[in-house]
Amino acid sequence: MESVVVRKPNELVIEERPLPVPAPGEVRVKVKLAGICGSDSHIYRGHNPFAKYPRVIGHEFFGLIDAVGEGVNQQRIGERVSVDPVISCGECYPCSIGKPNVCTSLVVIGVHRDGGFSEYVTVPAKNAYHIPDDVADKHAVMVEPFTIAANVTGQVAPGDKDIALIYGAGPMGLTTVQALKGVYNVKTVIVADRIDERLEMAKRCGADWVINNGLQSLEDFLKEKGIKPTLIVDAACHPSILQEAISLASPAARIVLMGFSSEPCQIVQQGITGKELSIFSSRLNANKFATVINWLQQGRIDPDKLITHTFDYHRVIDAIELFEKDQRKCCKVLLTFSE
């Protein structure tokens, strides 16, 4: 079989590898589609502190179970599945309170162990989620990106009276827009970004207002509208955003951080305590695959509004470079592995 392997930073090859055999409790997935994420690019470029090399990248993927290991029901062969990349121990403190996404011995498929940019991959059977027949293949591969939004919204319990502000109209921000509007019926969703084409995508995903905060003051915009956000999501992940969010937030607001910036940020504690703000962080997803599959079946989200490009996996370098360089026209890029 062929696999997309990052041998070391900036060295990506398509490599012939032996067909993997599922261990007890595992299934083998014949991959049909996979999605490119920023973390795949970061591993390729050597900017992901969690990755070990060489690595088959890819943690967003969909396919068919074609073999099962000992202890797994043979009837699962042929099943359409989307794979949760979060592998947890189930016993540590985070796991015991429903946060396997920050398990003390966390393993992420495509980061800590080989991932889905491969013709075949083995994964724990419990991580392979059945995809109903009424969910299209190209939507099934988008389950994982939407679980990021499901994890955020699951923590902060949005309501129809909320005024939400989202920094960043990349895939994380856009999936969150769709969840807030399509699932939680949030009253007002505002998206700030510095790329006009991305702001147009945000409108298509349901944003009520958009603002290019590279050209206009976000503070002035909100004053002009006479509103204060009650829910702020940082999906842009710049260290300057948190302090601005604290300043702009309504009293009793919730702020969610979605990024991994290693740069320090300076904040004034008085702004948090004075308004009694709640600050959350969100990493990966905590058992949200079933939730998103349900959203898809109910038509509450529309992955088509994010998918902009599709490449055969042999053109993976072209696909990643497009993803990295063309933020105006490119949002979600898919790789095809089999029909």
Side-chain angles (χ1 to χ4, degrees):
M1 70 167 189
E2 289 186 327
S3 301
V4 175
V5 183
V6 180
R7 289 179 173 167
K8 61 183 181 180
N10 294 304
E11 184 182 330
L12 184 152
V13 297
I14 295 177
E15 190 174 279
E16 189 69 30
R17 289 192 164 193
L19 188 67
V21 176
E26 290 189 339
V27 298
R28 185 172 67 205
V29 177
K30 178 182 171 79
V31 178
K32 295 190 71 174
L33 287 168
I36 293 176
C37 173
S39 63
D40 300 314
S41 168
H42 296 156
I43 294 172
Y44 177 29
R45 301 305 182 188
H47 299 150
N48 187 315
F50 306 110
K52 304 293 182 185
Y53 301 92
R55 177 62 63 231
V56 177
I57 53 176
H59 65 271
E60 304 172 5
F61 57 100
F62 157 80
L64 303 177
I65 294 176
D66 87 317
V68 299
E70 182 183 342
V72 180
N73 192 331
Q74 289 280 336
Q75 292 184 350
R76 295 203 67 183
I77 293 175
E79 186 178 329
R80 301 169 70 236
V81 293
S82 185
V83 177
D84 186 345
V86 175
I87 301 176
S88 56
C89 73
E91 298 177 358
C92 66
Y93 172 71
C95 287
S96 74
I97 61 167
K99 289 184 176 287
N101 51 320
V102 286
C103 171
T104 56
S105 55
L106 176 69
V107 171
V108 180
I109 296 170
V111 180
H112 304 102
R113 71 179 259 178
D114 286 342
F117 286 10
S118 183
E119 291 186 288
Y120 295 86
V121 60
T122 55
V123 301
K126 65 184 180 62
N127 286 60
Y129 281 78
H130 172 72
I131 297 297
D133 291 341
D134 57 352
V135 175
D137 290 1
K138 65 178 180 176
H139 292 178
V141 74
M142 292 290 289
V143 171
E144 197 280 340
F146 275 94
T147 65
I148 308 305
N151 208 64
V152 167
T153 53
Q155 290 195 67
V156 297
D160 57 8
K161 295 180 181 178
D162 267 314
I163 297 170
L165 168 63
I166 298 175
Y167 285 91
M172 289 194 302
L174 297 178
T175 56
T176 304
V177 171
Q178 288 201 25
L180 290 175
K181 296 300 291 187
V183 178
Y184 293 95
N185 300 311
V186 168
K187 176 183 177 183
T188 304
V189 175
I190 306 159
V191 178
D193 199 286
R194 300 189 174 208
I195 300 174
D196 287 334
E197 289 84 353
R198 283 294 179 92
L199 293 173
E200 286 301 316
M201 292 183 195
K203 286 182 183 178
R204 292 196 292 273
C205 285
D208 299 286
W209 293 325
V210 297
I211 174 173
N212 186 323
N213 58 335
L215 302 175
Q216 182 181 359
S217 162
L218 188 51
E219 181 180 9
D220 291 346
F221 175 85
L222 295 173
K223 282 183 178 177
E224 179 185 311
K225 299 292 185 183
I227 58 176
K228 286 186 175 292
T230 61
L231 172 60
I232 301 178
V233 178
D234 176 12
C237 316
H238 190 278
S240 66
I241 290 175
L242 180 55
Q243 180 55 52
E244 181 176 83
I246 291 167
S247 300
L248 297 177
S250 163
R254 296 95 79 211
I255 298 173
V256 188
L257 307 177
M258 297 179 73
F260 272 104
S261 174
S262 60
E263 298 294 321
C265 69
Q266 291 188 328
I267 60 173
V268 179
Q269 182 179 335
Q270 183 179 8
I272 302 172
T273 310
K275 295 180 181 179
E276 200 171 334
L277 302 178
S278 298
I279 298 181
F280 297 80
S281 62
S282 184
R283 182 182 182 189
L284 299 165
N285 87 95
N287 300 319
K288 299 299 184 186
F289 265 64
T291 297
V292 172
I293 292 167
N294 187 47
W295 290 356
L296 285 169
Q297 287 193 281
Q298 293 179 355
R300 292 178 176 269
I301 54 175
D302 184 1
D304 287 335
K305 292 177 179 175
L306 276 73
I307 300 167
T308 54
H309 296 81
T310 302
F311 289 79
D312 179 88
Y313 74 93
H314 292 99
R315 296 185 59 203
V316 61
I317 291 178
D318 293 337
I320 292 176
E321 289 182 350
L322 177 74
F323 176 82
E324 292 172 338
K325 295 174 181 177
D326 190 357
Q327 295 187 344
R328 295 188 179 278
K329 296 179 182 177
C330 177
C331 184
K332 204 66 195 172
V333 181
L334 304 184
L335 298 175
T336 59
F337 284 85
S338 63
E339 294 299 324

